[in-house]
Amino acid sequence: MKNTILSLSLLLGLVACSKKVPVDYAILTGEIENLDAQEITLIKLDQSFKKKIPVVNGVFSDTINANPGLYSLSVGKNNGTLYLNNGSRLNLIAD
């Protein structure tokens, strides 16, 4: 009986300690070859968020602390649309 209670207590303790912390950000990384610009711009389509991300030797990385949704990623005269959600890890490779 003692072993059963001890085992259940240990199991309950392990389950209670293994809760995941919710993530409230997305990670955007990438590499763009033959790029003359030194930054890229990320704008949420509803205009509620805008961020300039520095590009060093064609490589960029940033943590985006914004609400999930559609975003426009602009590099010079080129742009594209992407969806970012909390917990997303997006890696872009372009030329």
Side-chain angles (χ1 to χ4, degrees):
M1 184 71 173
K2 284 185 178 180
N3 288 339
T4 305
I5 293 174
L6 181 60
S7 296
L8 288 174
S9 297
L10 183 60
L11 181 63
L12 181 61
L14 289 174
V15 170
C17 293
S18 66
K19 291 184 179 180
K20 292 184 178 180
V21 177
V23 177
D24 63 348
Y25 58 87
I27 297 176
L28 178 62
T29 60
E31 181 176 356
I32 303 174
E33 294 182 11
N34 303 316
L35 179 66
D36 293 330
Q38 295 186 3
E39 66 183 15
I40 59 175
T41 305
L42 184 68
I43 303 172
K44 191 162 185 189
L45 291 185
D46 68 2
Q47 304 294 321
S48 65
F49 178 85
K50 181 177 182 180
K51 186 170 192 175
K52 294 188 183 285
I53 302 170
V55 178
V56 179
N57 296 326
V59 178
F60 63 92
S61 179
D62 206 343
T63 302
I64 310 302
N65 292 311
N67 292 327
L70 288 171
Y71 290 81
S72 174
L73 183 69
S74 301
V75 183
K77 294 181 181 179
N78 301 312
N79 63 35
T81 304
L82 51 96
Y83 183 83
L84 292 177
N85 196 4
N86 291 334
S88 295
R89 290 179 160 264
L90 185 60
N91 185 35
L92 300 171
I93 299 176
D95 187 3

